[in-house]
Amino acid sequence: MSMQAREEILGRLKSVRKNTPAARPAKPVLSEINLDKEQLLQRFTSELNAQTGAVYQAKDKEDAVRILSEIASAEGLKSILATSGHIYGVDIRAFGSQNNISVSTVQDFSDRNAFRELAFAVDAGITSADFAVAETGTLGVIFYKDQPRLVSIAPPVHIAIVPVDKLYPVYENVIEQVFKDTNKIPSQFCFITGPSSTTDIKGVHFKGMHGPVKIFVIFIMTGGIGHENSDGPGKTMVR
Amino acid sequence: MFLKLFCSGFSMMRQFALSSFPDPEAAESYSRSIRAEVLERLPELLEEFEKKAISRGVKVIWARDAAEANNIILDIARQKGVQYVTKGKSMITEEIGLNEHLIKNGVDVYETDLGEVITQQLGLPPFHLVGPAINVPPEKISDIFLKNGILKEPTTDPVALGKAARMYLREKFRTQEMGIVGVNMAVAETGSFINVENEGNIRMNKSSPKTLVAIMSLEKLVPTLADAIHMTRILIRNCTGQKMTSYVSFDTGPKKPDELDGPEDVYVVILDNGRSEIYKDLKVRDILKCIRCGACMNTCPVYARIGGYPYGFTYTGPMGQAINPLLWGIENTTDLYRACTLCGSCRKTCPAGVDHPFLFLEYRSREIRKKNAKGNRTLLSRLENTIAAISSFGMRQGRAWILGVRCVRPLLNFLSKDGYIRDIPFGVQGWFGCRDLTAMPDKTFHERWKDLQNEPVPLADTAKKDVI
């Protein structure tokens, strides 16, 4: 039935005389591509702050654990689901044991339903992010075996760890890399910008509709763009 | 008042968001050129998308009309043995009446977009493309949520109501086996489909269940990923006045075997429902450029006063006035394309390059031509034609016009009562059904002007200092 429908529909569409599409105008320029590394970080931070997301700069992996501990304490986290025991070298299990937090990782699961149950039960999900985009304070996340989708959408808090050298000016920089190798296109790729939100009742805006209520992004600055003198966590946080 | 504020507020946010482009006009001009190209290349882009999507493991199914699409999705639900499905907001499923069809056949449907949850519970049609329940008072939402066990204590706080819906739907997301979503864009280059959202319900629907059905109307294509990125920027700015929504997800095939979540089966239903016939109609097919951003509604002076319900169809505002006549018949939708001042604000706002007023004029013209076609002529249409021919002659002959006006004025005033003409004979009751005509003054403007020339010019009252 579908094949017959296909032939009928395409037949009708193809019966129309095709004109050569008009030449497109020049592609609009994007101002973000001219930002230097310092400005990219500032832009990312201000954009995500505007969405109530908090941005931290960790001097190194140990500093990232300290920042995670601060977030966990402030948010009262008791249980977390992480995409790995080590995310970009940050020891998530050590962070858990230091703070008396129950840590589960994706590798602990082989059963889909058990994993889903836990994703909806934990206080927070900790993931890596493959990219960050300064344009709008956006994370780019490729979903695959070690990065399941629910960790960044089901728990009420999402914490993402990303090396600062993964920060790019605009979406195009990211999309080119994600889809470059046609044999390695992920089943899903997602841009994440702030917590989930809605304005559906009387236009009143609030964060935390179905996905996370809060989002925290920790940049690992090691080998990065020279923010060693950062005042530490909370510096750029919006509360 | 709320509606006016809502529409003007959205328009201001849109302008602000567009100003983030170094050259907003160039950005919109580029998006219009993408949509124009899509229309020219539609069959080849559809074939390319289908080929790429299938090569990624997607099951692509074509549906000629609403009934076919509804049955395809019902069959999938039955085949998977699901008791209920959850749905992301999708206007195309509203167009085909999918919810009603599934429920009638024993499959429960849970809307998951907050606005759609409210309209589903209240049994209301969508009020706005982007905010389907934006007009519903919190008191009403509280009442229905209490009645249906979503809320425990009454509240009019929008945040508390939203959180109650969150808790209610988390249970559905946690156990769902099949999700249904619409499609914002389908990328021919890669066979990917893209969803743009803020709430996270679409991501839930694309992550939690084992089966995912994405339904798209056949014009939702973009040629390349680069085009998709540009259109995403444009769509979001025009849709919600944001620079970026919380989530933009790109799906290319089902989950890989070693992945813990995501759909094992992905179906993409490509729906025609009259669009291939519209495509053949070169004069009006530009409506297929529409990207469903809703910007035309927010700028429309008529929509800002009456809202979505009076349109009587799923698609409201100028885009609805433009597409509904083609979907449901020009003769069945007369009020839509006539209830327009032709101010052109929608055309100026449209980032896809749809010329709505041109379409309305074309529909009006087609309606009249159909009425005047041989065999369709009625006494009324003959009378209208005669009056139009006489008026046309008069307008071209100055003296004849003056003579005609002199004759008609006393005739009309003969029918007036208390300064108003409330009806005239010969079948124009329709016009007088909802309005009166003020009685004609005794003299025309020219006659009064002529008389004034003979009157002395009144002198300024020198006693009053403020009179110059």
Side-chain angles (χ1 to χ4, degrees), chain A residues 6 8 12 18 24 47 116-117 135 149-150 152 154 172 182 189 193 197-198 200 210-211, chain B residues 37 44 50 56 64 112 115 166 170 174 176 199 203 206 208 227 233 243 246 250 261 276:
Chain A
R6 177 189 186 276
E8 275 181 33
R12 275 195 290 272
K18 189 186 157 191
R24 292 192 191 179
E47 289 288 338
R116 180 162 75 169
E117 284 293 324
E135 183 177 352
R149 307 170 189 206
L150 285 171
S152 55
E172 281 83 348
T182 51
F189 169 77
T193 311
S197 65
T198 189
D200 271 358
H210 296 297
Chain B
E37 183 179 323
E44 76 176 85
E50 181 194 34
R56 298 279 160 202
R64 278 169 286 217
T112 55
R166 173 188 168 99
R170 272 179 85 75
R174 193 177 64 80
Q176 69 179 132
E199 293 192 3
R203 271 194 71 201
K206 288 163 91 172
S208 182
D227 293 336
R233 285 194 185 96
K243 282 197 287 187
S246 299
F250 300 65
D261 57 15
S276 57

Side-chain angles (χ1 to χ4, degrees), chain B residues 114-376:
Chain B
L114 179 59
E116 291 281 348
V117 172
I118 296 164
T119 54
Q120 187 187 27
Q121 304 262 331
L122 287 168
L124 291 170
F127 183 78
H128 188 278
L129 208 60
V130 184
I134 198 86
N135 62 313
V136 180
E139 295 79 8
K140 215 170 169 183
I141 301 168
S142 176
D143 288 348
I144 195 74
F145 277 13
L146 277 168
K147 188 181 162 197
N148 293 342
I150 299 171
L151 195 64
K152 284 178 184 151
E153 300 288 331
T155 177
T156 55
D157 175 15
V159 181
L161 290 166
K163 297 290 179 192
R166 173 188 168 99
M167 296 316 293
Y168 168 70
L169 286 167
R170 272 179 85 75
E171 196 50 29
K172 306 294 172 202
F173 290 135
R174 193 177 64 80
T175 54
Q176 69 179 132
E177 292 299 316
M178 177 169 156
I180 300 172
V181 298
V183 171
N184 286 108
M185 274 169 267
V187 186
E189 184 184 21
T190 57
S192 314
F193 59 90
I194 300 173
N195 290 90
V196 177
E197 55 154 343
N198 276 316
E199 293 192 3
N201 59 317
I202 294 177
R203 271 194 71 201
M204 290 284 197
N205 277 306
K206 288 163 91 172
S207 304
S208 182
K210 287 182 182 168
T211 304
L212 173 66
V213 177
I215 176 166
M216 57 177 266
S217 50
L218 53 75
E219 76 277 16
K220 290 275 184 170
L221 271 293
V222 284
T224 65
L225 279 163
D227 293 336
I229 293 297
H230 183 74
M231 292 309 298
T232 301
R233 285 194 185 96
I234 288 287
L235 173 69
I236 293 170
R237 282 163 173 79
N238 280 282
C239 187
T240 58
Q242 296 169 283
K243 282 197 287 187
M244 188 60 167
T245 50
S246 299
Y247 308 110
V248 178
S249 48
F250 300 65
D251 282 62
T252 315
K255 81 177 189 73
K256 305 278 193 296
D258 59 3
E259 288 179 49
L260 266 175
D261 57 15
E264 290 163 8
D265 291 305
V266 176
Y267 299 83
V268 171
V269 179
I270 301 176
L271 175 68
D272 180 349
N273 211 26
R275 286 163 177 81
S276 57
E277 285 297 337
I278 297 173
Y279 188 74
K280 285 160 67 179
D281 193 338
L282 298 183
K283 224 169 178 182
V284 297
R285 77 175 193 184
D286 272 9
I287 187 57
L288 297 179
K289 291 176 180 173
C290 176
I291 56 170
R292 309 283 188 272
C293 67
C296 58
M297 296 174 189
N298 301 333
T299 193
C300 175
V302 177
Y303 183 91
R305 277 154 188 83
I306 65 170
Y309 297 151
Y311 291 87
F313 292 87
T314 299
Y315 302 114
T316 61
M319 62 77 57
Q321 290 167 278
I323 197 165
N324 287 324
L326 299 173
L327 293 177
W328 309 108
I330 284 176
E331 64 283 3
N332 302 320
T333 49
T334 313
D335 289 344
L336 291 182
Y337 49 84
R338 294 205 176 273
C340 171
T341 63
L342 302 176
C343 73
S345 187
C346 46
R347 178 185 55 209
K348 273 186 253 167
T349 306
C350 180
V354 176
D355 186 344
H356 309 77
F358 171 83
L359 297 174
F360 303 153
L361 288 172
E362 177 63 21
Y363 302 155
R364 292 178 191 185
S365 163
R366 286 185 186 188
E367 187 206 14
I368 294 300
R369 271 182 278 160
K370 195 170 180 185
K371 273 187 184 172
N372 284 336
K374 268 190 180 172
N376 290 342

Side-chain angles (χ1 to χ4, degrees), chain A residues 124-150:
Chain A
I126 304 183
T127 72
S128 59
D130 299 279
F131 306 95
V133 184
E135 183 177 352
T136 45
T138 298
L139 297 172
V141 182
I142 294 172
F143 297 108
Y144 67 107
K145 178 170 77 76
D146 292 330
Q147 180 78 284
R149 307 170 189 206
L150 285 171

